[in-house]
Amino acid sequence: AQSVAQPEDQVNVAEGNPLTVKCTYSVSGNPYLFWYVQYPNRGLQFLLKYITGDNLVKGSYGFEAEFNKSQTSFHLKKPSALVSDSALYFCAVRDKSNTGKLIFGQGTTLQVKP
Amino acid sequence: DAGVIQSPRHEVTEMGQEVTLRCKPISGHDYLFWYRQTMMRGLELLIYFNNNVPIDDSGMPEDRFSAKMPNASFSTLKIQPSEPRDSAVYFCASSFSNGYTFGSGTRLTVV
């Protein structure tokens, strides 16, 4: 069965420091991978996706993610965190049945402190 | 584009009452998804449609829940009768090709 795992419930980082939010996946075949962010009292917003091509994907708000096939990971990164980055982050993989359905991880809360 | 539009934003109802949540997807999107989010269970997929046809409703918790999509621009999620454990934020999302666009959600409180 296809799945994604976000091993950390919460990540704490100081403003200005680099941040990483981890995601690992389990799929057969080539994965389509996504990151979404949810701010308080809002819906999920698309950050970036990996379909094919360059393993380093750049997205919104200065975020990027690195696809690592050997480690089956798709970690979200940002070189310098902002307090405004504090939110709930979801990793997702598209269901291989090609139905358009996304399978979401459980989410990681990012807390950036001034 | 106004995005995915959900109404109401907040709903407070008494146990036993019928609740109807509404969603207008983005024009041209051929998939529509209903999710429920709670602290305990996270983000749960309830049901999704492709070209207005329900594809998978295995996430619908009970017969009290039903969803319809009478046309490409409108969907409803109904709970009848509602119970306090249905209290959650309900999200609608629509999709074309890869990636979803989420609505802002309906926060349902059943007292």
Side-chain angles (χ1 to χ4, degrees), chain B residues 8 14 22 33-34 51 56-57 60 63 77 84 89 100:
Chain B
E14 292 185 348
R22 297 172 176 80
F33 304 82
W34 282 100
N51 293 322
D56 183 355
D57 66 354
M60 297 285 260
D63 291 345
L77 178 67
V89 181
Y100 289 8

Side-chain angles (χ1 to χ4, degrees), chain B residues 54-71:
Chain B
I55 301 300
D56 183 355
D57 66 354
S58 60
M60 297 285 260
E62 303 171 33
D63 291 345
R64 298 184 296 107
F65 286 69
S66 63
K68 294 182 180 180
M69 192 166 185
N71 56 63

Side-chain angles (χ1 to χ4, degrees), chain B residues 43-62:
Chain B
L43 202 60
E44 301 174 276
L45 176 62
L46 300 177
I47 184 172
Y48 72 98
F49 298 82
N50 179 221
N51 293 322
N52 314 338
V53 176
I55 301 300
D56 183 355
D57 66 354
S58 60
M60 297 285 260
E62 303 171 33

Side-chain angles (χ1 to χ4, degrees), chain B residues 64-97:
Chain B
R64 298 184 296 107
F65 286 69
S66 63
K68 294 182 180 180
M69 192 166 185
N71 56 63
S73 59
F74 185 64
S75 177
T76 59
L77 178 67
K78 186 176 295 187
I79 308 172
Q80 167 62 22
S82 58
E83 297 183 3
R85 59 193 168 121
D86 301 332
S87 298
V89 181
Y90 291 81
F91 288 104
C92 175
S94 69
S95 171
F96 177 77
S97 186

Side-chain angles (χ1 to χ4, degrees), chain A residues 32 34 36 38 41-46 49 51 88 90 94-95 97-106, chain B residues 9 31 33 35 37 42-43 45 48 50 55-56 58 89 91 95 97-105 107:
Chain A
Y32 288 13
F34 303 80
Y36 284 81
Q38 185 181 26
N41 301 312
R42 302 290 297 275
L44 280 69
Q45 296 177 31
F46 171 79
K49 66 183 177 186
I51 305 297
L88 182 59
F90 290 94
R94 196 179 81 171
D95 183 78
S97 63
N98 205 30
T99 61
K101 178 174 120 178
L102 288 184
I103 299 167
F104 285 89
Q106 67 271 37
Chain B
R9 286 298 308 274
Y31 282 94
F33 304 82
Y35 283 86
Q37 186 177 33
L43 202 60
L45 176 62
Y48 72 98
N50 179 221
I55 301 300
D56 183 355
S58 60
V89 181
F91 288 104
S95 171
S97 186
N98 295 308
Y100 289 8
T101 301
F102 279 80
S104 297
R107 183 174 295 277

